[in-house]
């Protein structure tokens, strides 16, 4: 039983690694236009929004914290968009969740 779990975990890790490595191996051969490069700048924001949206639609959060997540998502997008720094935007969103959870409890 333990051996099966380890094999599953290692298989999933290998699959994830291969999915990330192969595009990088071929990316240096591509010549992307400015519109495509601009589009790729917004991919991280779209991924963050999709994770939060999935939490909303699947009922992963209680009704009381739904407002906290909406505020945090809005703040994340606002800060990341204004500063052009996704890491700073995510930090602002996390800080908002922590502060609002402390105030709300």
């Amino acid at each position: 039983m333990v051996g099966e779990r380890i094999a599953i975990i290692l298989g999933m890790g290998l699959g994830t690694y291969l999915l990330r490595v192969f595009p990088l191996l071929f990316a240096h051969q591509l010549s992307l236009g400015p519109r495509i490069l601009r589009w790729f700048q917004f991919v991280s924001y779209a991924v963050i929004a999709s994770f939060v949206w999935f939490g909303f639609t699947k009922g992963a959060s209680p009704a009381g914290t739904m407002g906290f997540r909406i505020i945090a998502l809005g703040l994340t997008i606002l800060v990341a968009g204004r500063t052009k720094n996704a890491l700073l935007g995510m930090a602002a969103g996390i800080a908002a969740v922590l502060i609002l959870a402390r105030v709300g409890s």
Side-chain angles (χ1 to χ4, degrees):
M1 189 66 143
V2 173
E4 285 180 20
R5 290 182 181 176
I6 292 174
I8 290 170
I9 292 169
L10 291 175
M12 290 171 59
L14 179 64
T16 301
Y17 179 76
L18 292 175
L19 288 173
R20 292 177 187 200
V21 166
F22 279 121
L24 291 175
L25 292 176
F26 297 110
H28 71 279
Q29 298 174 357
L30 295 176
S31 161
L32 302 176
R35 291 183 83 188
I36 298 293
L37 291 174
R38 178 95 173 125
W39 179 81
F40 274 124
Q41 290 177 344
F42 293 102
V43 170
S44 63
Y45 306 127
V47 170
I48 293 168
S50 71
F51 285 137
V52 174
W53 182 253
F54 181 75
F56 290 154
T57 58
K58 294 298 178 186
S61 52
T65 63
M66 189 68 70
F68 293 169
R69 286 190 174 194
I70 291 170
I71 293 169
L73 175 62
L75 183 64
T76 300
I77 293 170
L78 179 72
V79 170
R82 295 232 180 208
T83 63
K84 306 293 187 225
N85 186 337
L87 186 60
L88 190 58
M90 290 188 315
I94 291 169
V97 168
L98 293 175
I99 291 168
L100 291 170
R102 174 73 74 176
V103 170
S105 59

